[in-house]
Short mmCIF file of all heavy atoms in Angstrom, two decimals:
data_model
loop_
_atom_site.label_atom_id
_atom_site.label_comp_id
_atom_site.label_asym_id
_atom_site.label_seq_id
_atom_site.Cartn_x
_atom_site.Cartn_y
_atom_site.Cartn_z
N GLY A 1 89.44 85.29 65.70
CA GLY A 1 89.35 86.56 66.25
C GLY A 1 90.69 87.25 66.40
O GLY A 1 91.73 86.71 66.13
N ALA A 2 90.64 88.55 66.82
CA ALA A 2 91.81 89.38 66.74
C ALA A 2 92.96 88.92 67.67
O ALA A 2 94.10 89.29 67.45
CB ALA A 2 91.41 90.87 67.17
N ASP A 3 92.64 88.16 68.72
CA ASP A 3 93.75 87.77 69.67
C ASP A 3 94.51 86.60 69.18
O ASP A 3 95.39 86.13 69.91
CB ASP A 3 93.19 87.58 71.08
CG ASP A 3 91.95 86.73 71.11
OD1 ASP A 3 91.45 86.35 70.02
OD2 ASP A 3 91.45 86.46 72.19
N ALA A 4 94.24 86.06 68.03
CA ALA A 4 94.98 84.89 67.48
C ALA A 4 96.03 85.42 66.46
O ALA A 4 96.02 84.98 65.33
CB ALA A 4 94.04 83.86 66.79
N VAL A 5 96.90 86.31 66.91
CA VAL A 5 97.88 86.97 66.02
C VAL A 5 98.98 86.04 65.63
O VAL A 5 99.36 85.95 64.43
CB VAL A 5 98.44 88.24 66.71
CG1 VAL A 5 99.44 88.93 65.78
CG2 VAL A 5 97.29 89.18 67.04
N SER A 6 99.57 85.33 66.60
CA SER A 6 100.71 84.50 66.32
C SER A 6 100.29 83.04 66.11
O SER A 6 101.10 82.22 65.58
CB SER A 6 101.72 84.51 67.48
OG SER A 6 102.19 85.82 67.71
N GLY A 7 99.09 82.69 66.47
CA GLY A 7 98.62 81.28 66.28
C GLY A 7 97.62 80.88 67.36
O GLY A 7 97.24 81.75 68.14
N ILE A 8 97.35 79.63 67.38
CA ILE A 8 96.39 79.15 68.40
C ILE A 8 96.92 77.78 68.94
O ILE A 8 97.67 77.07 68.32
CB ILE A 8 95.02 78.91 67.86
CG1 ILE A 8 94.96 77.76 66.86
CG2 ILE A 8 94.44 80.17 67.22
CD1 ILE A 8 93.60 77.20 66.70
N VAL A 9 96.48 77.50 70.20
CA VAL A 9 96.66 76.19 70.78
C VAL A 9 95.32 75.70 71.18
O VAL A 9 94.61 76.35 71.97
CB VAL A 9 97.60 76.27 72.03
CG1 VAL A 9 97.67 74.94 72.70
CG2 VAL A 9 98.99 76.78 71.67
N GLN A 10 94.88 74.57 70.64
CA GLN A 10 93.54 74.02 71.01
C GLN A 10 93.74 72.60 71.61
O GLN A 10 94.47 71.77 71.06
CB GLN A 10 92.64 73.91 69.81
CG GLN A 10 91.26 73.36 70.22
CD GLN A 10 90.13 73.79 69.31
OE1 GLN A 10 88.98 73.78 69.76
NE2 GLN A 10 90.40 74.23 68.13
N ILE A 11 93.10 72.42 72.76
CA ILE A 11 93.18 71.16 73.53
C ILE A 11 91.82 70.46 73.42
O ILE A 11 90.77 71.06 73.61
CB ILE A 11 93.51 71.46 74.97
CG1 ILE A 11 94.91 72.05 75.06
CG2 ILE A 11 93.42 70.23 75.83
CD1 ILE A 11 95.11 73.03 76.13
N PHE A 12 91.86 69.19 73.06
CA PHE A 12 90.66 68.37 72.90
C PHE A 12 90.58 67.33 74.03
O PHE A 12 91.48 66.60 74.25
CB PHE A 12 90.63 67.74 71.58
CG PHE A 12 90.56 68.70 70.39
CD1 PHE A 12 91.70 69.16 69.82
CD2 PHE A 12 89.31 69.11 69.92
CE1 PHE A 12 91.65 70.09 68.77
CE2 PHE A 12 89.26 70.04 68.86
CZ PHE A 12 90.44 70.53 68.28
N THR A 13 89.37 67.30 74.63
CA THR A 13 89.14 66.27 75.68
C THR A 13 88.95 64.92 75.04
O THR A 13 88.37 64.76 73.97
CB THR A 13 87.88 66.69 76.49
OG1 THR A 13 88.12 67.96 77.05
CG2 THR A 13 87.59 65.65 77.54
N ARG A 14 89.38 63.87 75.71
CA ARG A 14 89.28 62.51 75.23
C ARG A 14 87.82 62.10 75.09
O ARG A 14 87.00 62.45 75.95
CB ARG A 14 89.96 61.57 76.17
CG ARG A 14 89.94 60.10 75.78
CD ARG A 14 90.52 59.22 76.82
NE ARG A 14 91.88 59.48 77.15
CZ ARG A 14 92.58 58.79 78.00
NH1 ARG A 14 92.02 57.80 78.70
NH2 ARG A 14 93.85 59.06 78.25
N GLN A 15 87.49 61.38 74.04
CA GLN A 15 86.18 60.81 73.83
C GLN A 15 86.29 59.31 73.89
O GLN A 15 87.26 58.70 73.36
CB GLN A 15 85.59 61.24 72.49
CG GLN A 15 85.36 62.75 72.40
CD GLN A 15 84.61 63.07 71.09
OE1 GLN A 15 83.66 62.45 70.71
NE2 GLN A 15 85.09 64.16 70.44
N GLY A 16 85.36 58.67 74.59
CA GLY A 16 85.43 57.23 74.74
C GLY A 16 85.25 56.53 73.42
O GLY A 16 84.40 56.92 72.56
N ARG A 17 85.93 55.45 73.26
CA ARG A 17 85.84 54.59 72.07
C ARG A 17 85.98 53.12 72.50
O ARG A 17 86.91 52.75 73.26
CB ARG A 17 86.86 54.91 71.00
CG ARG A 17 86.74 56.28 70.43
CD ARG A 17 87.81 56.44 69.30
NE ARG A 17 87.76 57.79 68.71
CZ ARG A 17 88.46 58.79 69.15
NH1 ARG A 17 89.29 58.67 70.18
NH2 ARG A 17 88.37 59.99 68.59
N GLY A 18 85.06 52.26 72.01
CA GLY A 18 85.16 50.86 72.32
C GLY A 18 84.67 50.45 73.67
O GLY A 18 83.91 51.18 74.34
N ALA A 19 85.14 49.30 74.11
CA ALA A 19 84.70 48.71 75.40
C ALA A 19 85.17 49.59 76.60
O ALA A 19 86.13 50.34 76.47
CB ALA A 19 85.17 47.27 75.57
N PHE A 20 84.49 49.39 77.73
CA PHE A 20 84.81 50.13 78.90
C PHE A 20 86.30 49.89 79.29
O PHE A 20 86.77 48.78 79.32
CB PHE A 20 83.89 49.75 80.07
CG PHE A 20 84.24 50.35 81.34
CD1 PHE A 20 83.94 51.67 81.63
CD2 PHE A 20 84.95 49.63 82.37
CE1 PHE A 20 84.32 52.27 82.84
CE2 PHE A 20 85.25 50.23 83.56
CZ PHE A 20 84.98 51.52 83.81
N ASN A 21 86.98 50.93 79.62
CA ASN A 21 88.40 50.87 79.96
C ASN A 21 88.67 51.80 81.13
O ASN A 21 88.19 52.93 81.17
CB ASN A 21 89.26 51.30 78.76
CG ASN A 21 90.77 51.18 78.98
OD1 ASN A 21 91.30 52.01 79.74
ND2 ASN A 21 91.37 50.23 78.36
N MET A 22 89.43 51.33 82.11
CA MET A 22 89.70 52.13 83.29
C MET A 22 91.18 51.96 83.67
O MET A 22 91.74 50.85 83.52
CB MET A 22 88.89 51.75 84.43
CG MET A 22 88.97 52.66 85.65
SD MET A 22 87.62 52.36 86.82
CE MET A 22 88.52 51.58 88.05
N SER A 23 91.85 53.07 84.06
CA SER A 23 93.24 52.97 84.46
C SER A 23 93.56 53.91 85.59
O SER A 23 92.85 54.88 85.83
CB SER A 23 94.17 53.27 83.24
OG SER A 23 94.01 54.66 82.88
N ALA A 24 94.64 53.57 86.31
CA ALA A 24 95.10 54.39 87.42
C ALA A 24 96.65 54.42 87.40
O ALA A 24 97.29 53.45 87.00
CB ALA A 24 94.62 53.85 88.77
N GLU A 25 97.20 55.56 87.79
CA GLU A 25 98.63 55.69 87.73
C GLU A 25 99.10 56.59 88.88
O GLU A 25 98.45 57.58 89.24
CB GLU A 25 99.10 56.23 86.40
CG GLU A 25 100.65 56.29 86.26
CD GLU A 25 101.05 56.70 84.86
OE1 GLU A 25 100.83 55.84 83.90
OE2 GLU A 25 101.52 57.79 84.67
N GLY A 26 100.23 56.26 89.52
CA GLY A 26 100.77 57.08 90.58
C GLY A 26 102.28 57.24 90.46
O GLY A 26 102.95 56.35 89.92
N ARG A 27 102.75 58.36 90.93
CA ARG A 27 104.22 58.62 90.91
C ARG A 27 104.62 59.37 92.16
O ARG A 27 103.80 60.01 92.81
CB ARG A 27 104.58 59.53 89.72
CG ARG A 27 104.36 58.98 88.35
CD ARG A 27 104.88 59.87 87.29
NE ARG A 27 104.70 59.34 85.92
CZ ARG A 27 103.71 59.59 85.12
NH1 ARG A 27 102.71 60.34 85.60
NH2 ARG A 27 103.66 59.06 83.93
N ALA A 28 105.84 59.15 92.56
CA ALA A 28 106.40 59.85 93.71
C ALA A 28 107.91 60.12 93.47
O ALA A 28 108.54 59.30 92.79
CB ALA A 28 106.22 59.06 94.97
N GLY A 29 108.42 61.20 93.99
CA GLY A 29 109.81 61.52 93.77
C GLY A 29 110.33 62.44 94.85
O GLY A 29 109.74 62.61 95.91
N ASN A 30 111.48 63.05 94.56
CA ASN A 30 112.07 63.93 95.52
C ASN A 30 111.37 65.22 95.61
O ASN A 30 110.44 65.53 94.88
CB ASN A 30 113.57 64.14 95.21
CG ASN A 30 113.79 64.71 93.81
OD1 ASN A 30 112.85 64.87 93.05
ND2 ASN A 30 115.03 65.04 93.52
N ARG A 31 111.75 66.07 96.60
CA ARG A 31 111.13 67.35 96.90
C ARG A 31 109.63 67.22 97.23
O ARG A 31 108.82 68.05 96.95
CB ARG A 31 111.30 68.36 95.78
CG ARG A 31 112.78 68.63 95.43
CD ARG A 31 112.86 69.78 94.39
NE ARG A 31 114.27 69.92 93.97
CZ ARG A 31 115.17 70.68 94.58
NH1 ARG A 31 114.87 71.24 95.74
NH2 ARG A 31 116.40 70.79 94.11
N GLY A 32 109.26 66.05 97.76
CA GLY A 32 107.91 65.83 98.18
C GLY A 32 106.98 65.68 97.00
O GLY A 32 105.74 65.86 97.19
N SER A 33 107.45 65.38 95.80
CA SER A 33 106.54 65.31 94.63
C SER A 33 105.80 64.03 94.64
O SER A 33 106.33 62.92 94.81
CB SER A 33 107.40 65.35 93.38
OG SER A 33 108.15 66.58 93.28
N ARG A 34 104.50 64.07 94.45
CA ARG A 34 103.69 62.88 94.30
C ARG A 34 102.41 63.28 93.51
O ARG A 34 101.94 64.39 93.54
CB ARG A 34 103.25 62.30 95.65
CG ARG A 34 102.47 63.23 96.53
CD ARG A 34 103.32 64.05 97.47
NE ARG A 34 102.57 64.63 98.57
CZ ARG A 34 103.02 65.73 99.26
NH1 ARG A 34 104.15 66.28 98.97
NH2 ARG A 34 102.29 66.22 100.22
N GLU A 35 101.91 62.25 92.79
CA GLU A 35 100.75 62.54 91.94
C GLU A 35 99.99 61.17 91.73
O GLU A 35 100.59 60.14 91.75
CB GLU A 35 101.14 63.13 90.60
CG GLU A 35 102.05 62.30 89.78
CD GLU A 35 102.50 63.05 88.51
OE1 GLU A 35 103.04 64.18 88.63
OE2 GLU A 35 102.29 62.50 87.46
N ILE A 36 98.76 61.32 91.45
CA ILE A 36 97.94 60.17 91.14
C ILE A 36 96.90 60.60 90.05
O ILE A 36 96.40 61.71 90.09
CB ILE A 36 97.20 59.58 92.36
CG1 ILE A 36 96.45 58.30 91.98
CG2 ILE A 36 96.26 60.66 93.01
CD1 ILE A 36 95.94 57.56 93.16
N THR A 37 96.66 59.71 89.03
CA THR A 37 95.68 60.01 88.02
C THR A 37 94.77 58.80 87.88
O THR A 37 95.20 57.66 88.04
CB THR A 37 96.36 60.31 86.71
OG1 THR A 37 97.15 59.17 86.28
CG2 THR A 37 97.26 61.53 86.81
N LEU A 38 93.53 59.08 87.56
CA LEU A 38 92.48 58.06 87.31
C LEU A 38 91.74 58.43 86.05
O LEU A 38 91.45 59.65 85.81
CB LEU A 38 91.55 57.95 88.52
CG LEU A 38 92.13 57.55 89.88
CD1 LEU A 38 91.11 57.79 90.96
CD2 LEU A 38 92.59 56.11 89.91
N ASP A 39 91.33 57.44 85.27
CA ASP A 39 90.45 57.75 84.12
C ASP A 39 89.70 56.57 83.76
O ASP A 39 90.10 55.41 83.98
CB ASP A 39 91.28 58.31 82.95
CG ASP A 39 92.22 57.26 82.37
OD1 ASP A 39 91.73 56.34 81.66
OD2 ASP A 39 93.42 57.35 82.60
N ALA A 40 88.53 56.79 83.15
CA ALA A 40 87.65 55.71 82.66
C ALA A 40 86.97 56.23 81.42
O ALA A 40 86.65 57.42 81.31
CB ALA A 40 86.59 55.33 83.70
N ASN A 41 86.74 55.37 80.40
CA ASN A 41 86.10 55.77 79.21
C ASN A 41 85.55 54.57 78.49
O ASN A 41 85.91 53.41 78.77
CB ASN A 41 87.09 56.52 78.29
CG ASN A 41 88.29 55.71 77.90
OD1 ASN A 41 88.28 54.90 76.97
ND2 ASN A 41 89.39 55.86 78.67
#
């Protein structure tokens, strides 16, 4: 379409492959930065 003048960026969601897999990750840093992520597929 007309709004793709300079190009496009397309993001694809992960699809599960193989045996069940689950992971968790956390980070913390200065300026009160902290994060946690979880995923399973």
Side-chain angles (χ1 to χ4, degrees):
D3 46 357
V5 179
S6 299
I8 70 158
V9 175
Q10 180 155 202
I11 295 144
F12 295 91
T13 301
R14 181 188 298 182
Q15 297 186 43
R17 296 184 180 91
F20 175 76
N21 182 289
M22 189 167 107
S23 66
E25 185 172 290
R27 295 184 179 93
N30 58 355
R31 302 187 187 276
S33 300
R34 61 271 195 201
E35 61 185 56
I36 185 170
T37 60
L38 300 167
D39 66 76
N41 59 84

